């Protein structure tokens, strides 16, 4: 009976919250919906494509051949652009992030014709997440019922995936990949005209093109001047490879709500499970002097699910512990004629939700579709104004995933504050209810339903649910005050993130944007 009352209370709160956000969303869609124009997705074959030319000139320079750079090179090259890709190291990389691609990201791979890049690399299908807190666990399935059987998340060794994408890009005749280090952008009268780079052999080269796309990763030395970088490092990952052990929930990512912050586990090959231990703050135990191994064995291991604990301890004993700072950087572009930023060089979020590659591939699709109808890119001023629409068009996917990552990291982390602890428990219990209480949030996380308004709705629904738990069956002054603090705490988490993401543009953005349909040329 009490559960029935609680569910009714939750539903009532959700309906009330939804009405407000639905009104905002509908007004935003009506405001931005064009009366006419070319639908780039439905009429691809009728667009004016760039025709390959043999004069040796370059249409687009891409700095970096990671996930974003390689995907962009392939897609623009297939459209007839002459592409030069400059990558610092074209060898196989061994990274500890970029190993989980959400279903929404996989659908972008299909859109780009790159879905075969997850084949022959021992990639594992992912069908959802499992949450662990104390001695309880719950599974959250991706809402894949309406999609073909092959649509799911994928987890893999990042280096293998990136190499497959580079190989695919290299099959396009008008795409040239070159190993070298870009030292600077060439600027002339306020516009970027190309790049200077040093080849593997040490030769200094100048390359010119009407458009330079910088996607050289989180350590980019070119982003300054193209954006206003405000990089935050909330935590670091200690990474381990667990071998020959079975996860409690096969084909699921595992999120352990540990103390002091979450732990992630997911299979990246048929014999290996990646474990990422989040360590808050900028200072972490030293790997070299054994502090990290001691921390992982004494503090972390007891919180690892029993099925994985033996493999975890064995991995610590093996000593191959890698660390990486987790960076967060809101997108704050400074539109510059002749150049744009993509990928982690432009926008980063906490990797808790595994959304980075989904955002990057979504951005690649938008840029490809914007450039597709343009016969020439030579008018850099007009092109810059035209590409400004990219920053609005990316908002639904990018801002939803960015906000969710930042908010969930704070909610899932342990805190001595009683209100924050209640919010953390409320989130776990809310997701454990199943039905729309889990399918809605997991659709957001997966990139299958990138609606910022839906994100805000569910976030405050969790807060309302938490307050309801405190007030039932009978409210007391102490528990009522705790409920008020919970709402304030929830607001204090999400509102700063929404502000950084550009709340108004984020909530009112719509794919139906006139700038997306009209060529400036």
């Amino acid at each position: 009976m009490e559960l029935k009352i609680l569910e009714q209370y939750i539903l009532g709160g959700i309906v009330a919250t939804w009405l407000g956000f639905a009104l905002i969303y509908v007004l935003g869609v009506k405001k931005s919906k064009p009366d006419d124009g070319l639908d780039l997705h439905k009429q691809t074959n009728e667009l004016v494509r760039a025709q390959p030319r043999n004069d040796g000139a370059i249409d687009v320079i891409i700095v970096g051949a990671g996930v974003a750079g390689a995907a962009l090179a392939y897609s623009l090259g297939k459209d007839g652009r002459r592409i030069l890709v400059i990558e610092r190291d074209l060898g196989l990389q061994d990274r500890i992030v970029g190993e989980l691609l959400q279903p929404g990201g996989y659908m972008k791979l299909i859109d780009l014709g790159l879905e075969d890049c997850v084949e022959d690399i021992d990639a594992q299908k992912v069908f959802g997440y499992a949450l662990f807190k104390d001695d309880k666990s719950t599974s959250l399935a991706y809402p894949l019922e309406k999609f073909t059987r092959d649509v799911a998340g994928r987890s893999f060794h990042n280096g293998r995936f990136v190499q497959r994408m580079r190989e695919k890009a290299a099959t396009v005749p008008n795409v040239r990949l070159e190993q070298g280090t870009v030292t600077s952008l060439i600027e002339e009268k306020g516009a970027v005209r190309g790049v200077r780079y040093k080849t593997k052999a040490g030769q200094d080269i100048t390359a010119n093109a009407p458009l330079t796309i910088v996607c050289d990763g989180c350590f980019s030395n070119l982003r300054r001047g193209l954006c206003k970088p405000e990089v935050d490092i909330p935590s670091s990952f200690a990474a381990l490879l667990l071998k020959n052990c079975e996860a409690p929930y096969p084909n699921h990512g595992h999120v352990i709500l540990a103390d002091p912050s979450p732990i992630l586990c997911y299979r990246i090959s048929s014999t290996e499970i990646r474990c990422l231990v989040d360590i808050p703050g900028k200072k972490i135990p030293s790997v070299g002097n054994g502090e990290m191994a001691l921390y992982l064995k004494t503090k972390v291991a007891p919180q690892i699910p029993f099925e994985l604990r033996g493999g975890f301890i064995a991995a610590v004993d093996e000593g191959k512990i890698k660390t990486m700072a987790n960076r967060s950087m809101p997108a704050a572009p400074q539109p510059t004629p002749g150049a744009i930023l993509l990928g982690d060089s432009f926008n980063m979020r906490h990797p808790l939700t595994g959304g980075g590659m989904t955002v990057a591939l979504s951005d690649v699709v938008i840029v490809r579709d914007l450039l597709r109808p343009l016969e020439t890119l030579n008018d850099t001023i007009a092109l810059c104004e035209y590409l400004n629409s990219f920053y609005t068009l990316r908002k639904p996917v990018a801002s939803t995933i960015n906000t969710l990552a930042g908010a969930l990291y704070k909610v899932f982390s342990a805190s001595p504050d009683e209100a924050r602890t209640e919010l953390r428990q409320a989130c776990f219990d809310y997701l454990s209810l199943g039905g729309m209480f889990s399918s809605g949030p997991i659709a957001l996380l997966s990139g299958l339903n990138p609606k910022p308004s839906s994100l805000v709705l569910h976030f405050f629904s969790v807060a309302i649910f938490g307050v309801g738990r405190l007030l039932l069956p009978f409210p007391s002054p102490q528990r009522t005050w705790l409920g008020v603090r919970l709402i304030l705490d929830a607001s204090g988490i999400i509102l700063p993130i929404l502000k950084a993401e550009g709340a108004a543009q984020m909530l009112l953005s719509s794919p139906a944007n006139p700038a997306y349909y009209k060529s400036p040329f």
Side-chain angles (χ1 to χ4, degrees):
M1 179 63 72
E2 184 175 313
L3 182 60
K4 290 283 186 182
I5 295 173
L6 183 57
E7 289 182 352
Q8 291 175 3
Y9 181 87
I10 297 165
L11 287 170
I14 290 174
V15 170
T17 310
W18 173 248
L19 288 175
F21 289 114
L23 181 61
I24 292 174
Y25 182 75
V26 170
L27 289 175
V29 170
K30 286 183 177 179
K31 181 178 179 181
S32 59
K33 185 175 181 180
D35 294 328
D36 52 26
L38 182 64
D39 187 330
L40 296 181
H41 294 290
K42 294 181 180 178
Q43 301 184 33
T44 294
N45 295 330
E46 299 177 13
L47 296 175
V48 177
R49 301 292 184 87
Q51 297 301 314
R53 299 184 294 277
N54 298 316
D55 56 7
I58 301 167
D59 294 315
V60 181
I61 296 171
I62 298 175
V63 182
V67 171
L72 190 64
Y74 176 79
S75 58
L76 295 185
K78 291 289 285 185
D79 282 352
R81 307 287 181 195
R82 296 159 301 175
I83 310 297
L84 170 62
V85 184
I86 306 169
E87 163 59 37
R88 182 182 58 82
D89 186 355
L90 288 171
L92 181 67
Q93 302 298 300
D94 184 12
R95 301 186 64 205
I96 65 172
V97 292
E99 296 177 320
L100 196 153
L101 180 67
Q102 298 289 358
Y106 180 74
M107 292 182 68
K108 298 301 179 184
L109 277 186
I110 294 173
D111 192 341
L112 293 165
L114 291 166
E115 67 272 23
D116 58 343
C117 291
V118 298
E119 298 174 2
D120 302 321
I121 60 172
D122 200 14
Q124 306 295 300
K125 286 189 176 182
V126 182
F127 297 114
Y129 275 84
L131 287 184
F132 295 78
K133 187 178 185 298
D134 302 325
D135 59 345
K136 296 181 179 179
S137 66
T138 186
S139 63
L140 312 171
Y142 292 138
L144 301 174
E145 299 82 6
K146 298 180 181 179
F147 300 95
T148 62
R149 187 175 61 180
D150 202 44
V151 174
R154 295 292 193 283
S155 52
F156 38 66
H157 281 273
N158 174 269
R160 299 175 187 174
F161 176 57
V162 170
Q163 285 301 97
R164 290 279 286 129
M165 296 184 77
R166 291 172 177 175
E167 292 166 3
K168 190 78 178 280
T171 64
V172 182
N174 44 313
V175 173
R176 177 161 61 96
L177 276 75
E178 186 167 340
Q179 184 162 305
T181 302
V182 175
T183 55
S184 64
L185 300 175
I186 298 172
E187 297 188 49
E188 181 182 308
K189 297 181 180 179
V192 173
R193 304 297 183 185
V195 300
R196 296 182 184 88
Y197 67 100
K198 188 180 290 290
T199 67
K200 186 179 180 180
Q203 184 180 6
D204 291 316
I205 301 290
T206 296
N208 297 99
L211 180 61
T212 298
I213 302 179
V214 177
C215 30
D216 56 345
C218 62
F219 300 108
S220 174
N221 63 340
L222 302 176
R223 66 163 66 102
R224 199 170 299 277
L226 300 179
C227 72
K228 302 172 185 176
E230 293 185 8
V231 180
D232 182 38
I233 303 178
S235 66
S236 295
F237 273 152
L240 299 165
L241 265 185
L242 283 52
K243 298 177 181 178
N244 300 313
C245 55
E246 295 299 324
Y249 293 84
N251 298 105
H252 281 63
H254 294 61
V255 182
I256 302 147
L257 276 58
D259 181 11
S261 52
I263 301 167
L264 305 178
C265 296
Y266 47 89
R267 186 171 290 283
I268 61 171
S269 76
S270 54
T271 60
E272 299 164 306
I273 292 176
R274 173 67 74 196
C275 181
L276 299 172
V277 178
D278 186 84
I279 303 173
K282 294 179 173 60
K283 186 177 180 181
I284 63 174
S286 169
V287 174
N289 65 12
E291 286 181 0
M292 180 65 79
L294 181 64
Y295 173 83
L296 294 175
K297 276 190 171 183
T298 58
K299 177 72 173 178
V300 178
Q303 303 181 76
I304 298 291
F306 175 77
E307 296 90 336
L308 298 173
R309 196 173 303 160
F312 181 86
I313 294 173
V316 174
D317 288 338
E318 189 178 0
K320 295 180 180 179
I321 305 170
K322 295 185 176 183
T323 61
M324 186 203 73
N326 293 323
R327 290 171 169 81
S328 176
M329 186 181 77
Q334 290 187 159
T336 304
I340 60 172
L341 286 164
L342 277 187
D344 284 351
S345 60
F346 175 49
N347 183 207
M348 294 179 280
R349 78 289 310 148
H350 195 284
L352 172 68
T353 56
M357 290 190 291
T358 299
V359 172
L361 292 170
S362 174
D363 285 353
V364 168
V365 169
I366 294 170
V367 170
R368 178 204 64 182
D369 289 348
L370 282 170
L371 294 180
R372 197 169 240 175
L374 307 184
E375 187 172 359
T376 176
L377 307 178
N378 291 330
D379 190 339
T380 56
I381 302 298
L383 181 64
C384 179
E385 294 176 356
Y386 175 63
L387 288 178
N388 278 344
S389 60
F390 163 69
Y391 304 115
T392 299
L393 294 168
R394 71 184 300 272
K395 282 290 182 182
V397 173
S399 293
T400 299
I401 292 174
N402 293 346
T403 304
L404 186 64
L408 278 184
Y409 177 70
K410 291 184 177 180
V411 171
F412 282 175
S413 296
S415 172
D417 181 76
E418 189 178 5
R420 179 68 64 86
T421 300
E422 284 289 340
L423 182 60
R424 189 189 198 206
Q425 185 65 52
C427 187
F428 179 84
D429 291 343
Y430 180 91
L431 294 171
S432 299
L433 290 172
M436 69 176 184
F437 304 107
S438 63
S439 63
I442 202 70
L444 293 165
L445 184 146
S446 65
L448 296 172
N449 181 34
K451 291 183 179 179
S453 55
S454 181
L455 166 61
V456 177
L457 164 69
H458 279 287
F459 189 83
F460 281 106
S461 295
V462 169
I464 293 169
F465 173 72
V467 173
R469 293 166 66 251
L470 290 171
L471 299 183
L472 291 175
F474 301 106
S476 68
Q478 182 181 3
R479 294 173 72 81
T480 300
W481 173 238
L482 183 58
V484 172
R485 287 173 51 204
L486 189 154
I487 292 292
L488 292 174
D489 199 50
S491 301
I493 288 173
I494 198 168
L495 293 182
I497 302 174
L498 291 174
K499 182 180 179 181
E501 289 293 324
Q505 190 181 37
M506 169 183 170
L507 291 170
L508 295 178
S509 60
S510 166
N513 188 300
Y516 189 49
Y517 298 90
K518 297 178 182 178
S519 166
F521 303 104

